[in-house]
């Protein structure tokens, strides 16, 4: 049996073990996906233990994705562009870092029926690793505003975007974002909504934009997703859809075989 670890803090309520273990079982693969709640101080030693022969690799989640990029032996171009590692594959004794969040976002949008986002003004809330993956994807023809609670982080994100992209990106303060009354599309790449709060509380945007992607992946719909679905004019990508598609890509990196997507989808706590 080989193991795959989810390394993060906190990780107890993650929906990933159910998806990956269902996929391993379906394909008759003798692997197990388990969680490891790891503090900053324990991260280096935990990654060293991934070099063991009975480990396929790992997922890395909040708050260790950026640190993991510095600790792996090699990183894919994608991980370096995003500045974070969410998937580690063990090759011999070497740890290869990758990132499947942008692909997860892209395929999540596609499967939510949001095939074409181009030539629109998008507001991205948040400036962490997930926001960076989304902005990279959105900079194919869109104008993107990145709202950072810590404006310096948003400015760093924007400054690090590759110059060959066809859209534009600009950092705005959280207060500026709250005062905006109109955007075409909105991406919530903060944890707001995780505990039942509405990510747009205190924002002036009205009506809701025609496309909303809420990355928060929880068992219940977030208040923002619920409100967007009720509004009917809004095309919505639920965080669970991105979770599903980034997981499927990670699965393929560890195993080398196509992920049984419908099995993984059925292991989620609600239909997406
Ligand atoms: P991160 O690196 O910690 O970044 C979080 C961002 O949100 C930062 O810009 C942070 O601002 C901001 N933020 C945090 N709390 C806030 C608040 N109360 N008000 C305003 N801004 C706040 O995290 P991440 O990895 O980018 O993840 C962000 C979210 O995306 C999480 O909810 C995560 O679960 C979700 N996610 C989902 C998927 C999926 O597959 N569905 C994949 C990846 C991530 P500061 O810089 O000021 O702290």
């Amino acid at each position: 049996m080989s193991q795959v670890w989810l390394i993060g803090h906190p990780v107890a309520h993650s929906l990933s073990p159910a998806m990956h273990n269902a996929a391993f079982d379906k394909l008759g693969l003798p692997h197990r996906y388990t969680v490891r709640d790891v503090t900053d101080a324990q991260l280096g030693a935990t990654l060293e233990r991934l070099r063991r022969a009975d480990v396929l690799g790992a997922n890395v989640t909040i708050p260790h994705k950026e640190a993991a990029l510095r600790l792996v032996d090699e990183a894919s171009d994608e991980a370096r562009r995003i500045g974070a590692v969410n998937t580690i594959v063990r090759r011999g004794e070497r740890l290869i870092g990758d990132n499947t969040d942008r692909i997860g976002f892209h395929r999540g949008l596609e499967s939510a029926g949001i095939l074409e986002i181009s030539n629109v003004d998008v507001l991205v809330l948040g400036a962490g690793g997930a926001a960076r993956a989304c902005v990279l994807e959105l900079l194919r023809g869109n104008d993107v505003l990145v709202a950072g609670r810590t404006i310096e982080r948003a400015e760093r994100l924007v400054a690090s975007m590759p110059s060959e992209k066809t859209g534009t990106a600009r950092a705005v303060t959280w207060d500026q974002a709250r005062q905006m009354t109109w955007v075409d599309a909105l991406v919530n790449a903060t944890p707001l909504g995780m505990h039942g709060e509405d990510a747009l509380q205190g924002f002036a945007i009205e009506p809701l934009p025609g496309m909303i992607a809420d990355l928060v992946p929880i068992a219940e719909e977030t208040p923002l997703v619920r409100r967007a679905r009720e509004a009917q004019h809004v095309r919505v990508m639920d965080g669970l859809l991105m979770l599903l598609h980034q997981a499927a890509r990670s699965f393929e990196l560890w195993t080398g075989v196509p992920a049984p997507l419908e099995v993984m989808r059925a292991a989620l706590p609600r239909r997406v």
Side-chain angles (χ1 to χ4, degrees), residues 65-78:
K65 289 184 186 182
E66 285 163 22
L69 178 65
R70 295 189 293 274
L71 292 169
V72 291
D73 302 309
E74 211 178 293
S76 67
D77 289 347
E78 178 84 342

PDB file of all heavy atoms in Angstrom, residues 65-78:
ATOM      1  N   LYS A  65       1.341  26.211   1.352  1.00  0.00           N
ATOM      2  CA  LYS A  65       1.590  26.057  -0.087  1.00  0.00           C
ATOM      3  C   LYS A  65       2.805  26.841  -0.566  1.00  0.00           C
ATOM      4  O   LYS A  65       3.546  26.386  -1.434  1.00  0.00           O
ATOM      5  CB  LYS A  65       0.369  26.536  -0.880  1.00  0.00           C
ATOM      6  CG  LYS A  65      -0.841  25.638  -0.786  1.00  0.00           C
ATOM      7  CD  LYS A  65      -1.928  26.209  -1.696  1.00  0.00           C
ATOM      8  CE  LYS A  65      -3.232  25.498  -1.578  1.00  0.00           C
ATOM      9  NZ  LYS A  65      -4.236  26.046  -2.495  1.00  0.00           N
ATOM     10  N   GLU A  66       3.002  28.029  -0.019  1.00  0.00           N
ATOM     11  CA  GLU A  66       4.123  28.848  -0.500  1.00  0.00           C
ATOM     12  C   GLU A  66       5.446  28.316   0.062  1.00  0.00           C
ATOM     13  O   GLU A  66       6.453  28.246  -0.650  1.00  0.00           O
ATOM     14  CB  GLU A  66       3.894  30.316  -0.168  1.00  0.00           C
ATOM     15  CG  GLU A  66       2.842  30.896  -1.108  1.00  0.00           C
ATOM     16  CD  GLU A  66       2.225  32.210  -0.647  1.00  0.00           C
ATOM     17  OE1 GLU A  66       2.838  32.922   0.155  1.00  0.00           O
ATOM     18  OE2 GLU A  66       1.096  32.516  -1.112  1.00  0.00           O
ATOM     19  N   ALA A  67       5.431  27.911   1.318  1.00  0.00           N
ATOM     20  CA  ALA A  67       6.653  27.350   1.925  1.00  0.00           C
ATOM     21  C   ALA A  67       7.051  26.065   1.210  1.00  0.00           C
ATOM     22  O   ALA A  67       8.238  25.790   1.002  1.00  0.00           O
ATOM     23  CB  ALA A  67       6.419  27.087   3.412  1.00  0.00           C
ATOM     24  N   ALA A  68       6.065  25.275   0.796  1.00  0.00           N
ATOM     25  CA  ALA A  68       6.362  23.992   0.132  1.00  0.00           C
ATOM     26  C   ALA A  68       7.137  24.216  -1.167  1.00  0.00           C
ATOM     27  O   ALA A  68       7.992  23.412  -1.533  1.00  0.00           O
ATOM     28  CB  ALA A  68       5.069  23.229  -0.136  1.00  0.00           C
ATOM     29  N   LEU A  69       6.856  25.335  -1.841  1.00  0.00           N
ATOM     30  CA  LEU A  69       7.587  25.626  -3.090  1.00  0.00           C
ATOM     31  C   LEU A  69       9.089  25.733  -2.815  1.00  0.00           C
ATOM     32  O   LEU A  69       9.913  25.313  -3.618  1.00  0.00           O
ATOM     33  CB  LEU A  69       7.052  26.924  -3.714  1.00  0.00           C
ATOM     34  CG  LEU A  69       7.745  27.391  -4.984  1.00  0.00           C
ATOM     35  CD1 LEU A  69       7.531  26.399  -6.126  1.00  0.00           C
ATOM     36  CD2 LEU A  69       7.234  28.773  -5.414  1.00  0.00           C
ATOM     37  N   ARG A  70       9.434  26.297  -1.659  1.00  0.00           N
ATOM     38  CA  ARG A  70      10.860  26.456  -1.326  1.00  0.00           C
ATOM     39  C   ARG A  70      11.490  25.147  -0.866  1.00  0.00           C
ATOM     40  O   ARG A  70      12.701  24.981  -0.924  1.00  0.00           O
ATOM     41  CB  ARG A  70      11.013  27.525  -0.220  1.00  0.00           C
ATOM     42  CG  ARG A  70      10.588  28.919  -0.650  1.00  0.00           C
ATOM     43  CD  ARG A  70      10.955  29.966   0.403  1.00  0.00           C
ATOM     44  NE  ARG A  70      10.206  29.805   1.637  1.00  0.00           N
ATOM     45  CZ  ARG A  70       9.000  30.321   1.862  1.00  0.00           C
ATOM     46  NH1 ARG A  70       8.414  31.043   0.924  1.00  0.00           N
ATOM     47  NH2 ARG A  70       8.380  30.138   3.011  1.00  0.00           N
ATOM     48  N   LEU A  71      10.668  24.193  -0.423  1.00  0.00           N
ATOM     49  CA  LEU A  71      11.216  22.986   0.203  1.00  0.00           C
ATOM     50  C   LEU A  71      11.328  21.784  -0.734  1.00  0.00           C
ATOM     51  O   LEU A  71      12.034  20.832  -0.433  1.00  0.00           O
ATOM     52  CB  LEU A  71      10.365  22.604   1.424  1.00  0.00           C
ATOM     53  CG  LEU A  71      10.447  23.601   2.594  1.00  0.00           C
ATOM     54  CD1 LEU A  71       9.385  23.287   3.648  1.00  0.00           C
ATOM     55  CD2 LEU A  71      11.833  23.567   3.225  1.00  0.00           C
ATOM     56  N   VAL A  72      10.608  21.817  -1.884  1.00  0.00           N
ATOM     57  CA  VAL A  72      10.693  20.673  -2.795  1.00  0.00           C
ATOM     58  C   VAL A  72      12.021  20.717  -3.562  1.00  0.00           C
ATOM     59  O   VAL A  72      12.690  21.754  -3.612  1.00  0.00           O
ATOM     60  CB  VAL A  72       9.502  20.643  -3.800  1.00  0.00           C
ATOM     61  CG1 VAL A  72       8.196  20.321  -3.086  1.00  0.00           C
ATOM     62  CG2 VAL A  72       9.405  21.945  -4.579  1.00  0.00           C
ATOM     63  N   ASP A  73      12.396  19.588  -4.165  1.00  0.00           N
ATOM     64  CA  ASP A  73      13.668  19.530  -4.896  1.00  0.00           C
ATOM     65  C   ASP A  73      13.551  20.159  -6.270  1.00  0.00           C
ATOM     66  O   ASP A  73      14.538  20.634  -6.839  1.00  0.00           O
ATOM     67  CB  ASP A  73      14.097  18.064  -5.063  1.00  0.00           C
ATOM     68  CG  ASP A  73      14.241  17.393  -3.710  1.00  0.00           C
ATOM     69  OD1 ASP A  73      14.937  17.956  -2.855  1.00  0.00           O
ATOM     70  OD2 ASP A  73      13.625  16.335  -3.504  1.00  0.00           O
ATOM     71  N   GLU A  74      12.345  20.122  -6.820  1.00  0.00           N
ATOM     72  CA  GLU A  74      12.111  20.595  -8.189  1.00  0.00           C
ATOM     73  C   GLU A  74      10.670  21.095  -8.236  1.00  0.00           C
ATOM     74  O   GLU A  74       9.817  20.527  -7.569  1.00  0.00           O
ATOM     75  CB  GLU A  74      12.226  19.385  -9.104  1.00  0.00           C
ATOM     76  CG  GLU A  74      12.725  19.630 -10.486  1.00  0.00           C
ATOM     77  CD  GLU A  74      12.824  18.297 -11.229  1.00  0.00           C
ATOM     78  OE1 GLU A  74      13.665  17.462 -10.850  1.00  0.00           O
ATOM     79  OE2 GLU A  74      12.033  18.105 -12.150  1.00  0.00           O
ATOM     80  N   ALA A  75      10.409  22.122  -9.049  1.00  0.00           N
ATOM     81  CA  ALA A  75       9.022  22.587  -9.152  1.00  0.00           C
ATOM     82  C   ALA A  75       8.665  22.749 -10.620  1.00  0.00           C
ATOM     83  O   ALA A  75       9.499  23.152 -11.440  1.00  0.00           O
ATOM     84  CB  ALA A  75       8.849  23.917  -8.430  1.00  0.00           C
ATOM     85  N   SER A  76       7.421  22.446 -10.965  1.00  0.00           N
ATOM     86  CA  SER A  76       6.957  22.620 -12.344  1.00  0.00           C
ATOM     87  C   SER A  76       6.907  24.115 -12.675  1.00  0.00           C
ATOM     88  O   SER A  76       6.852  24.964 -11.771  1.00  0.00           O
ATOM     89  CB  SER A  76       5.556  22.022 -12.508  1.00  0.00           C
ATOM     90  OG  SER A  76       4.632  22.779 -11.747  1.00  0.00           O
ATOM     91  N   ASP A  77       6.860  24.433 -13.976  1.00  0.00           N
ATOM     92  CA  ASP A  77       6.714  25.838 -14.382  1.00  0.00           C
ATOM     93  C   ASP A  77       5.441  26.420 -13.783  1.00  0.00           C
ATOM     94  O   ASP A  77       5.404  27.571 -13.350  1.00  0.00           O
ATOM     95  CB  ASP A  77       6.612  25.944 -15.913  1.00  0.00           C
ATOM     96  CG  ASP A  77       7.944  25.648 -16.561  1.00  0.00           C
ATOM     97  OD1 ASP A  77       8.966  25.612 -15.839  1.00  0.00           O
ATOM     98  OD2 ASP A  77       7.956  25.437 -17.793  1.00  0.00           O
ATOM     99  N   GLU A  78       4.386  25.608 -13.778  1.00  0.00           N
ATOM    100  CA  GLU A  78       3.085  26.061 -13.275  1.00  0.00           C
ATOM    101  C   GLU A  78       3.194  26.448 -11.787  1.00  0.00           C
ATOM    102  O   GLU A  78       2.706  27.498 -11.373  1.00  0.00           O
ATOM    103  CB  GLU A  78       2.069  24.930 -13.478  1.00  0.00           C
ATOM    104  CG  GLU A  78       0.681  25.213 -12.974  1.00  0.00           C
ATOM    105  CD  GLU A  78      -0.179  25.986 -13.967  1.00  0.00           C
ATOM    106  OE1 GLU A  78       0.358  26.609 -14.904  1.00  0.00           O
ATOM    107  OE2 GLU A  78      -1.410  25.968 -13.772  1.00  0.00           O
TER     108      GLU A  78
END
